[in-house]
Amino acid sequence: MSEARGMSMKDKLISELNSRYGSDNTDKLVRYMQRILEINENINLTAVREECEFLEKHIVDSLACNDYEEFQRAKLVVDMGTGGGFPGIPLAVTNPDKKFILVDSLNKRLKVIGQVAEEIGINNIELIHMRAEDMGHNIKYREKVDVCVSRAVASLDILSEWCLPLVKKGGYFIPYKGESAEDEIASADAAIKTLGGNVEKIENPSEDKNAISGHRLIFIRKYNSTPKRFPRKPGIAKKSPIR
């Protein structure tokens, strides 16, 4: 991508964010991006190094959930395996009426997110350093969450065991997945049903926007309570996924 095209694309993306979310929210999103890219020189938070790519791959992509009523109805949202704060931070900035819990197993990342969020004034987040397997058995969180989102790289059968125990009946687990979404759903079918969920639909938000990148969103509704034995102890979901 040439610098000129990169600049014009960046301006276009910022203009679109402005028109949809207002200048205050867009300013927070841009400041978050700039601080994460600065800190990324010393602590690896993202493979993305350039602002235009960051806007598209991390911010616009993260915001895709905002287009759907299933997400809009939620009051409490968990972002499992938040990494550099995605999709949790962009969603928190644009949904100040919701509470977001950002979960990661690496405390160093959470400290950075917390520091930057405080600088910018993002107040509707809670950061939790905890394994998903432990969180799923904690009565404070188990089946208390309206929506759980995740852009984590784990396969859907594993992610479902980490996330569905947190979701209340009638709520949704919405993973962001790539082009292999249908294959992952087929492999995870037994796990999703065992854990109390059912795939309602797959959405492709970037389809009509000519986006260079973009995830597909899988909407998994929680119909039944998750059996008490799930999630299993740390490491077991990866070694022996539910089949």
Side-chain angles (χ1 to χ4, degrees), residues 25-42:
N25 284 338
T26 300
D27 181 56
K28 283 184 177 180
L29 293 169
V30 170
R31 285 166 66 202
Y32 186 79
M33 169 184 73
Q34 290 168 341
R35 288 292 288 124
I36 291 296
L37 285 172
E38 278 172 31
I39 295 165
N40 204 51
E41 299 292 321
N42 301 309

Side-chain angles (χ1 to χ4, degrees), residues 69-210:
E69 188 190 349
E70 293 88 350
F71 177 77
Q72 281 300 344
R73 287 197 302 260
K75 293 279 183 269
L76 178 61
V77 180
V78 163
D79 174 12
M80 181 60 71
T82 192
F86 309 107
I89 290 292
L91 290 172
V93 167
T94 54
N95 293 276
D97 57 323
K98 304 184 194 304
K99 181 181 177 186
F100 291 81
I101 299 175
L102 278 56
V103 186
D104 205 89
S105 60
L106 198 63
N107 205 27
K108 187 160 66 169
R109 282 196 288 247
L110 291 175
K111 282 182 175 171
V112 169
I113 295 167
Q115 174 196 326
V116 177
E118 194 174 340
E119 286 172 22
I120 293 170
I122 304 168
N123 304 314
N124 56 329
I125 62 167
E126 180 184 345
L127 305 173
I128 294 185
H129 175 229
M130 191 183 288
R131 282 180 172 275
E133 295 93 339
D134 296 328
M135 191 173 179
H137 286 290
N138 187 316
I139 56 166
K140 187 177 174 185
Y141 307 109
R142 185 178 178 91
E143 303 203 323
K144 299 288 198 303
V145 175
D146 299 309
V147 166
C148 183
V149 293
S150 184
R151 291 204 323 170
V153 293
S155 61
L156 185 57
D157 47 8
I158 296 164
L159 265 185
S160 295
E161 185 167 347
W162 291 346
C163 296
L164 274 170
L166 300 170
V167 178
K168 61 170 66 166
K169 277 165 69 169
Y172 284 85
F173 167 38
I174 310 175
Y176 290 57
K177 284 291 175 184
E179 290 179 0
S180 61
E182 279 94 352
D183 292 339
E184 287 206 45
I185 289 168
S187 299
D189 183 62
I192 291 166
K193 287 187 167 65
T194 299
L195 295 158
N198 188 55
V199 175
E200 280 199 344
K201 61 180 178 176
I202 308 172
E203 296 283 356
N204 191 358
S206 62
E207 195 169 38
D208 302 321
K209 298 177 186 170
N210 300 313

Side-chain angles (χ1 to χ4, degrees), residues 50-69:
E50 189 259 321
E51 287 193 353
C52 182
E53 189 183 5
F54 193 109
L55 282 166
E56 189 164 48
K57 287 189 174 175
H58 286 329
I59 292 179
V60 174
D61 185 61
S62 290
L63 293 172
C65 266
N66 281 334
D67 292 333
Y68 301 97
E69 188 190 349

